[in-house]
Amino acid sequence: MKIAVASGKGGTGKTMIATSLAASLAPGFVIHFLDCDVEAPNAHLFLNPELTGISPAVIAIPKIDPDLCIACGKCVNVCQYHALAMIQEKILVFSQLCHGCGSCALNCPVSAISEEEKIIGTLHQGKTKHGIMHYVGKLTISEPMASPIIHKLRKLPQTNPDITILDAPPGASCAVVSTVYDADFILLVTEPTPFGLHDLKQMLGIISQIGIPAGVIINRHGIGDKVVETFLTQTSIPIMMKIPYKHEIAIGLASGKVLTDFKPVYRRKFRALFEIIKAHIIADPGEP
Amino acid sequence: MIIMITSQGTTLKSKPNQIFGRSLMFIKYDTENDKWEAFMNPGVNEPGGASIAASQFVIDQQSSAVISGNFGPNAFRLLEAAGIQMWTFDPSCVSIEDVVNAYKKNQLTPFLQSRKN
């Protein structure tokens, strides 16, 4: 079972929720935790895995052989990322825009395109003291493409766990879709402010298109206004948990602890949340 | 000579656009006969590589020069390699017409270097 934690707006508490869910389920289940926020991964600060395995995340970028190239422009036309352009019968490669999909080489009628390896980041794995297998991708600074490394990270685990928890990047862009697209359930963490609502709506738009059941957790409940709750009453999306805005929670998180470790009452709440998530998945398995 | 100007609208009265890659429109203007045409920028709604799609369009239109408010590093690399002159307009140009006149009077600023990628 795959549960993704996403938000739209950044800093709403995705990692707090994802690590708490993982830690409270770890005693009974084999858990894989995938930190897909590859631009700024931080779940390891809370789960403290011993990161042992490290491997480069490599994508294949095109290299054009000018002697073979017939300047037909097919590679430029098939590249949906605009990583290739043609001027005066010469192909230019913009490697930072390349996702490494290989379409250009596949479509070249004269096999003028070979592929060169480019390292865009690193993949790490290790076990936490909770017994969770922790996987994290780190994008190299100045590399702009998060999606390819997320795809590599998703393929890293060699075994099948009971539950995979996917900690998504903030925003509502390709990188988020690459994280959540095949989840069985998406937990959306928001805060009760107009900004939280605005980005929550963007995420709900994406989710309704990919057809995955979802629920909302309102974090920092008590600040802001009622806009999120009022909006959700007009939808079929349930509010699954409210976490109050409390100084003691901020202190615990700032000291690098998992919420369910310094506030054990939340362990039971997160286990109950998991049961509700399971019921939702059974009731609404989403698109095949 | 064909020049392309980034535009916020579809006519010569439209405001020029400060942005190149995500400009909504291009006005293609032929300085020989004063004929012009408006085009949607194929890059405007692309999730990535907007400036490259826009540059490729400018190149494919056989333009000799392109005028905008600024050019990013990818657009600069491509347009420079294609030998297309890049120019920027100043705030006194409030319409495409103004930009065209400023170009004809050689009052635009050549854009010679983009910020580092």
Side-chain angles (χ1 to χ4, degrees), chain A residues 243-254:
Chain A
I243 297 176
Y245 185 55
K246 277 201 178 152
H247 196 211
E248 54 185 1
I249 294 181
I251 289 173
L253 294 174

Side-chain angles (χ1 to χ4, degrees), chain A residues 82, chain B residues 4-11 14 17 19-28 36-46 50-61 63:
Chain A
H82 299 297
Chain B
M4 300 282 270
I5 304 141
T6 53
S7 172
Q8 300 184 29
T10 58
T11 72
S14 304
N17 204 330
I19 299 161
F20 176 70
R22 300 232 178 242
S23 171
L24 181 64
M25 306 291 301
F26 280 109
I27 304 291
K28 179 182 178 182
W36 61 273
E37 213 177 332
F39 292 94
M40 274 292 284
N41 170 13
V44 69
N45 285 324
E46 290 295 306
S51 72
I52 296 180
S55 302
Q56 185 77 62
F57 178 73
V58 167
I59 293 163
D60 294 345
Q61 291 294 320
S63 1

Side-chain angles (χ1 to χ4, degrees), chain B residues 8 16 18 20 24 26 29 32 35 37 45 52-53 56 58 61 64 74 78-79 90 92 95 98 102-104 112:
Chain B
Q8 300 184 29
Q18 290 286 342
F20 176 70
L24 181 64
F26 280 109
Y29 195 97
E32 309 283 318
K35 282 192 179 151
E37 213 177 332
N45 285 324
I52 296 180
Q56 185 77 62
V58 167
Q61 291 294 320
S64 307
N74 286 340
L78 197 47
L79 293 167
D90 69 55
S92 65
S95 68
D98 294 344
Y103 176 79
K104 286 179 174 172
L112 300 173

Side-chain angles (χ1 to χ4, degrees), chain A residues 25 29 270-280:
Chain A
L25 297 176
F29 298 95
F270 274 94
R271 284 187 202 131
L273 172 72
F274 176 66
E275 294 303 319
I276 300 168
I277 289 172
K278 271 202 300 192
H280 272 279

